[in-house]
Protein backbone atom coordinates (compact mmCIF):
# COMPACT_ATOMS: atom_id res chain seq x y z
CA UNK A 1 0.00 0.00 0.00
CA UNK A 2 1.05 3.57 -0.68
CA UNK A 3 0.38 5.87 2.26
CA UNK A 4 0.67 9.66 1.92
CA UNK A 5 0.37 11.50 5.24
CA UNK A 6 0.16 15.30 5.65
CA UNK A 7 2.49 16.10 2.75
CA UNK A 8 3.17 19.73 1.86
CA UNK A 9 5.63 21.11 -0.65
CA UNK A 10 6.78 24.63 -1.53
CA UNK A 11 9.01 25.57 -4.44
CA UNK A 12 11.76 28.17 -4.00
CA UNK A 13 11.18 28.55 -0.28
CA UNK A 14 12.47 31.73 1.28
CA UNK A 15 12.56 33.65 -2.01
CA UNK A 16 10.20 36.24 -3.54
CA UNK A 17 9.14 33.49 -5.99
CA UNK A 18 7.97 31.07 -3.29
CA UNK A 19 5.04 28.94 -4.46
CA UNK A 20 3.16 26.32 -2.47
CA UNK A 21 2.40 23.28 -4.64
CA UNK A 22 0.88 20.94 -2.04
CA UNK A 23 -0.92 21.58 1.25
CA UNK A 24 -1.43 18.84 3.86
CA UNK A 25 -2.12 16.01 1.41
CA UNK A 26 -3.17 12.66 2.93
CA UNK A 27 -4.53 9.51 1.27
CA UNK A 28 -3.83 5.79 0.75
CA UNK A 29 -3.65 3.73 -2.44
CA UNK A 30 -4.58 0.09 -1.83
CA UNK A 31 -2.98 -2.85 -3.61
CA UNK A 32 -4.64 -3.64 -6.94
CA UNK A 33 -6.53 -0.33 -6.99
CA UNK A 34 -6.78 2.05 -9.94
CA UNK A 35 -6.60 5.47 -8.31
CA UNK A 36 -7.07 8.55 -10.47
CA UNK A 37 -5.62 11.94 -9.56
CA UNK A 38 -7.38 14.75 -11.38
CA UNK A 39 -6.96 18.48 -11.47
CA UNK A 40 -6.26 21.43 -13.70
CA UNK A 41 -2.76 22.56 -14.69
CA UNK A 42 -0.98 23.85 -11.59
CA UNK A 43 -3.10 21.87 -9.15
CA UNK A 44 -0.10 19.96 -7.79
CA UNK A 45 -0.58 16.62 -9.57
CA UNK A 46 2.93 16.39 -11.04
CA UNK A 47 4.62 17.41 -7.79
CA UNK A 48 2.63 14.80 -5.89
CA UNK A 49 3.49 11.87 -8.15
CA UNK A 50 7.17 12.85 -8.27
CA UNK A 51 7.26 12.79 -4.46
CA UNK A 52 5.59 9.36 -4.44
CA UNK A 53 8.14 8.10 -6.97
CA UNK A 54 11.01 9.46 -4.86
CA UNK A 55 12.08 11.99 -7.51
CA UNK A 56 11.51 15.00 -5.25
CA UNK A 57 12.64 15.04 -1.63
CA UNK A 58 9.99 15.41 1.04
CA UNK A 59 9.79 18.75 2.87
CA UNK A 60 7.10 17.81 5.37
CA UNK A 61 4.82 14.88 6.07
CA UNK A 62 5.59 11.29 5.14
CA UNK A 63 5.18 8.82 2.28
CA UNK A 64 5.54 5.08 2.80
CA UNK A 65 5.34 2.31 0.21
CA UNK A 66 4.80 -1.17 1.61
CA UNK A 67 5.88 0.31 4.97
CA UNK A 68 9.17 1.55 3.51
CA UNK A 69 9.96 5.30 3.60
CA UNK A 70 9.90 6.85 0.15
CA UNK A 71 13.65 7.61 0.27
CA UNK A 72 14.52 3.92 0.73
CA UNK A 73 16.37 2.71 -2.38
CA UNK A 74 14.33 -0.51 -2.36
CA UNK A 75 11.26 1.34 -3.65
CA UNK A 76 12.99 1.90 -6.99
CA UNK A 77 12.03 -1.68 -7.80
CA UNK A 78 8.48 -1.18 -6.51
CA UNK A 79 7.40 2.01 -8.28
CA UNK A 80 7.47 2.73 -12.00
CA UNK A 81 6.50 6.12 -13.39
CA UNK A 82 5.59 7.02 -16.98
CA UNK A 83 5.67 10.75 -17.72
CA UNK A 84 3.80 12.60 -20.43
CA UNK A 85 5.25 11.95 -23.90
CA UNK A 86 7.60 9.17 -22.67
CA UNK A 87 8.41 8.28 -26.29
CA UNK A 88 10.59 11.39 -26.40
CA UNK A 89 13.02 9.47 -24.16
CA UNK A 90 13.48 6.56 -26.59
CA UNK A 91 17.02 6.33 -27.90
CA UNK A 92 18.04 2.73 -28.62
CA UNK A 93 18.37 1.22 -32.10
CA UNK A 94 15.62 -1.35 -31.69
CA UNK A 95 12.39 -1.78 -29.74
CA UNK A 96 13.88 -4.77 -27.90
CA UNK A 97 16.95 -2.86 -26.73
CA UNK A 98 14.91 0.13 -25.60
CA UNK A 99 12.59 -2.00 -23.47
CA UNK A 100 15.55 -3.94 -22.08
CA UNK A 101 17.54 -0.86 -21.08
CA UNK A 102 16.10 -0.41 -17.56
CA UNK A 103 16.16 -4.12 -16.58
CA UNK A 104 19.81 -4.30 -17.65
CA UNK A 105 20.64 -1.56 -15.16
CA UNK A 106 19.37 -3.84 -12.39
CA UNK A 107 21.85 -6.53 -13.36
CA UNK A 108 19.37 -9.18 -14.52
CA UNK A 109 20.49 -12.13 -16.63
CA UNK A 110 20.07 -12.03 -20.41
CA UNK A 111 17.46 -14.81 -20.23
CA UNK A 112 15.42 -12.93 -17.61
CA UNK A 113 15.68 -9.68 -19.56
CA UNK A 114 14.52 -11.37 -22.77
CA UNK A 115 11.54 -12.92 -20.97
CA UNK A 116 10.60 -9.58 -19.43
CA UNK A 117 10.82 -7.79 -22.79
CA UNK A 118 8.47 -10.31 -24.38
CA UNK A 119 6.02 -10.13 -21.47
CA UNK A 120 6.01 -6.32 -21.43
CA UNK A 121 5.37 -6.22 -25.18
CA UNK A 122 2.41 -8.56 -24.77
CA UNK A 123 1.03 -6.43 -21.94
CA UNK A 124 0.90 -3.28 -24.06
CA UNK A 125 -0.20 -5.07 -27.24
CA UNK A 126 3.01 -4.83 -29.28
CA UNK A 127 3.61 -7.54 -31.88
CA UNK A 128 6.73 -9.61 -31.15
CA UNK A 129 7.78 -9.07 -34.77
CA UNK A 130 8.56 -5.45 -33.88
CA UNK A 131 11.43 -6.37 -31.54
CA UNK A 132 14.14 -5.72 -34.13
CA UNK A 133 12.48 -2.63 -35.59
CA UNK A 134 13.69 0.88 -34.77
CA UNK A 135 11.23 2.60 -32.41
CA UNK A 136 11.53 5.70 -34.60
CA UNK A 137 9.89 3.83 -37.48
CA UNK A 138 6.74 3.20 -35.44
CA UNK A 139 3.56 5.22 -35.14
CA UNK A 140 3.10 7.64 -32.24
CA UNK A 141 0.84 5.20 -30.41
CA UNK A 142 3.29 2.34 -30.87
CA UNK A 143 6.21 4.44 -29.61
CA UNK A 144 4.18 5.30 -26.53
CA UNK A 145 3.62 1.57 -25.95
CA UNK A 146 7.36 0.90 -26.27
CA UNK A 147 8.09 3.54 -23.64
CA UNK A 148 5.49 2.12 -21.25
CA UNK A 149 6.75 -1.43 -21.88
CA UNK A 150 10.21 -0.28 -20.79
CA UNK A 151 8.77 0.57 -17.38
CA UNK A 152 6.67 -2.59 -17.18
CA UNK A 153 9.77 -4.69 -17.86
CA UNK A 154 10.94 -3.65 -14.39
CA UNK A 155 7.82 -5.40 -13.03
CA UNK A 156 6.81 -2.57 -10.69
CA UNK A 157 4.22 -3.27 -8.04
CA UNK A 158 2.95 0.30 -8.39
CA UNK A 159 2.61 2.03 -11.77
CA UNK A 160 2.15 5.80 -12.06
CA UNK A 161 0.83 7.06 -15.40
CA UNK A 162 0.98 10.82 -16.01
CA UNK A 163 -1.53 11.66 -18.76
CA UNK A 164 -0.66 8.45 -20.67
CA UNK A 165 -2.73 9.33 -23.75
CA UNK A 166 -1.60 12.97 -24.16
CA UNK A 167 -1.13 13.89 -27.81
CA UNK A 168 -2.48 10.63 -29.24
CA UNK A 169 -5.28 10.42 -31.79
CA UNK A 170 -8.60 8.90 -30.58
CA UNK A 171 -7.93 5.43 -32.00
CA UNK A 172 -4.38 5.19 -30.58
CA UNK A 173 -5.66 6.49 -27.25
CA UNK A 174 -8.42 3.89 -27.11
CA UNK A 175 -6.08 1.03 -28.00
CA UNK A 176 -3.45 2.09 -25.46
CA UNK A 177 -5.91 2.36 -22.58
CA UNK A 178 -7.50 -0.95 -23.51
CA UNK A 179 -4.14 -2.70 -23.25
CA UNK A 180 -2.99 -0.92 -20.06
CA UNK A 181 -6.20 -1.54 -18.15
CA UNK A 182 -6.62 -5.06 -19.51
CA UNK A 183 -3.56 -7.26 -19.11
CA UNK A 184 -1.72 -4.95 -16.72
CA UNK A 185 -4.60 -4.56 -14.29
CA UNK A 186 -5.13 -8.32 -14.25
CA UNK A 187 -1.57 -8.75 -13.04
CA UNK A 188 -2.51 -7.05 -9.77
CA UNK A 189 -0.42 -3.92 -10.30
CA UNK A 190 -1.68 -0.84 -8.45
CA UNK A 191 -2.16 2.00 -10.95
CA UNK A 192 -2.17 5.71 -10.20
CA UNK A 193 -3.64 7.46 -13.23
CA UNK A 194 -3.03 11.21 -13.51
CA UNK A 195 -5.56 12.69 -15.90
CA UNK A 196 -7.98 15.53 -16.46
CA UNK A 197 -10.07 13.37 -18.83
CA UNK A 198 -13.19 12.42 -16.93
CA UNK A 199 -14.24 9.82 -19.50
CA UNK A 200 -11.04 7.85 -18.92
CA UNK A 201 -11.46 8.16 -15.17
CA UNK A 202 -15.09 7.02 -15.37
CA UNK A 203 -14.12 3.93 -17.40
CA UNK A 204 -11.08 2.75 -15.49
CA UNK A 205 -10.70 4.25 -12.00
CA UNK A 206 -12.04 2.73 -8.79
CA UNK A 207 -11.49 6.00 -6.95
CA UNK A 208 -10.54 9.57 -7.80
CA UNK A 209 -8.78 12.33 -5.88
CA UNK A 210 -9.33 15.87 -7.11
CA UNK A 211 -6.66 18.50 -6.48
CA UNK A 212 -7.01 22.27 -6.77
CA UNK A 213 -4.31 24.77 -5.78
CA UNK A 214 -2.43 22.03 -3.96
CA UNK A 215 -5.33 20.85 -1.80
CA UNK A 216 -7.61 17.80 -1.94
CA UNK A 217 -11.14 18.87 -2.87
CA UNK A 218 -12.58 15.40 -3.24
CA UNK A 219 -11.75 11.76 -2.51
CA UNK A 220 -14.30 9.17 -3.58
CA UNK A 221 -15.73 7.22 -6.51
CA UNK A 222 -16.04 8.74 -10.01
CA UNK A 223 -19.83 8.41 -9.81
CA UNK A 224 -19.88 10.42 -6.57
CA UNK A 225 -17.60 13.05 -8.09
CA UNK A 226 -19.77 13.60 -11.17
CA UNK A 227 -22.65 14.57 -8.91
CA UNK A 228 -20.56 17.33 -7.30
CA UNK A 229 -20.89 20.13 -9.85
CA UNK A 230 -19.37 22.81 -7.60
CA UNK A 231 -16.22 20.74 -7.05
CA UNK A 232 -15.85 20.06 -10.79
CA UNK A 233 -16.22 23.76 -11.60
CA UNK A 234 -13.74 24.81 -8.92
CA UNK A 235 -11.22 22.23 -10.16
CA UNK A 236 -11.72 23.21 -13.81
CA UNK A 237 -12.92 19.74 -14.80
CA UNK A 238 -15.65 18.64 -17.21
CA UNK A 239 -17.78 15.61 -16.39
CA UNK A 240 -18.26 12.99 -19.16
CA UNK A 241 -20.83 13.99 -21.82
CA UNK A 242 -23.20 11.21 -20.76
CA UNK A 243 -23.22 12.59 -17.21
CA UNK A 244 -23.94 16.09 -18.49
CA UNK A 245 -26.81 14.69 -20.54
Amino acid sequence: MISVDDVSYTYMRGTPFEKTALKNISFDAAEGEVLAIAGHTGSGKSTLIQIIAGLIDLQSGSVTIDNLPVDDKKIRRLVGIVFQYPEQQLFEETVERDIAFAPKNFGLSEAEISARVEEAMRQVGLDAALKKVSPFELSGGQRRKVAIAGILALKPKYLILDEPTAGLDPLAKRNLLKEIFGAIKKSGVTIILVSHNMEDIARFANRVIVLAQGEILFNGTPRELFMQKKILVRAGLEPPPITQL
Side-chain angles (χ1 to χ4, degrees), residues 45-46 82-89 144 161-167 194 196:
K45 304 189 305 295
S46 294
V82 179
F83 291 104
Q84 286 189 49
Y85 308 108
E87 65 274 16
Q88 294 177 356
Q89 300 171 31
R144 183 73 55 87
L161 300 169
D162 187 3
E163 300 283 2
T165 61
V194 177
H196 63 272

Side-chain angles (χ1 to χ4, degrees), residues 165-185:
T165 61
L168 297 182
D169 63 68
L171 179 59
K173 169 184 170 180
R174 210 161 39 240
N175 289 338
L176 178 62
L177 290 176
K178 180 181 177 182
E179 300 297 344
I180 291 177
F181 292 97
I184 299 174
K185 188 178 177 183

Side-chain angles (χ1 to χ4, degrees), residues 203-218:
R203 287 179 64 195
F204 300 111
N206 307 119
R207 186 161 54 95
V208 56
I209 289 172
V210 177
L211 295 180
Q213 296 178 325
E215 297 181 282
I216 292 180
L217 293 186
F218 176 87

Side-chain angles (χ1 to χ4, degrees), residues 114-244:
S114 179
R116 288 194 179 201
V117 169
E118 291 181 7
E119 181 181 1
M121 290 183 71
R122 284 196 301 270
Q123 285 181 311
V124 298
L126 282 171
D127 194 311
L130 296 175
K131 282 202 296 186
K132 302 301 181 182
V133 175
S134 167
F136 305 105
E137 295 177 8
L138 304 179
S139 68
Q142 287 175 319
R143 290 198 302 272
R144 183 73 55 87
K145 288 183 176 183
V146 172
I148 294 174
I151 300 299
L152 292 176
L154 292 172
K155 291 195 173 182
K157 187 175 179 181
Y158 302 95
L159 179 64
I160 301 173
L161 300 169
D162 187 3
E163 300 283 2
T165 61
L168 297 182
D169 63 68
L171 179 59
K173 169 184 170 180
R174 210 161 39 240
N175 289 338
L176 178 62
L177 290 176
K178 180 181 177 182
E179 300 297 344
I180 291 177
F181 292 97
I184 299 174
K185 188 178 177 183
K186 288 178 183 177
S187 68
V189 173
T190 300
I191 299 175
I192 295 180
L193 170 66
V194 177
S195 180
H196 63 272
N197 188 308
M198 293 294 102
E199 288 186 71
D200 295 343
I201 289 173
R203 287 179 64 195
F204 300 111
N206 307 119
R207 186 161 54 95
V208 56
I209 289 172
V210 177
L211 295 180
Q213 296 178 325
E215 297 181 282
I216 292 180
L217 293 186
F218 176 87
N219 185 347
T221 67
R223 181 182 291 272
E224 291 168 342
L225 172 62
F226 301 150
M227 298 298 105
Q228 303 289 328
K229 185 175 181 180
K230 289 183 179 179
I231 289 176
L232 290 169
V233 170
R234 183 178 169 189
L237 299 171
E238 287 281 346
I242 188 65
T243 301
Q244 296 184 52

Side-chain angles (χ1 to χ4, degrees), residues 49-134:
I49 61 172
Q50 288 183 69
I51 288 174
I52 294 172
L55 301 177
I56 295 179
D57 292 336
L58 276 169
Q59 290 179 346
S60 66
S62 68
V63 175
T64 58
I65 299 171
D66 288 355
N67 296 317
L68 295 172
V70 73
D71 58 357
D72 191 312
K73 291 182 180 180
K74 292 178 183 177
I75 73 158
R76 294 178 185 175
R77 289 179 177 262
L78 294 176
V79 180
I81 183 168
V82 179
F83 291 104
Q84 286 189 49
Y85 308 108
E87 65 274 16
Q88 294 177 356
Q89 300 171 31
L90 300 177
F91 63 92
E92 286 284 6
E93 296 177 358
T94 66
V95 167
E96 181 180 34
R97 290 179 62 176
D98 228 311
I99 297 173
F101 180 79
K104 280 184 178 179
N105 286 339
F106 281 105
L108 301 178
S109 68
E110 288 299 323
E112 176 66 15
I113 291 171
S114 179
R116 288 194 179 201
V117 169
E118 291 181 7
E119 181 181 1
M121 290 183 71
R122 284 196 301 270
Q123 285 181 311
V124 298
L126 282 171
D127 194 311
L130 296 175
K131 282 202 296 186
K132 302 301 181 182
V133 175
S134 167

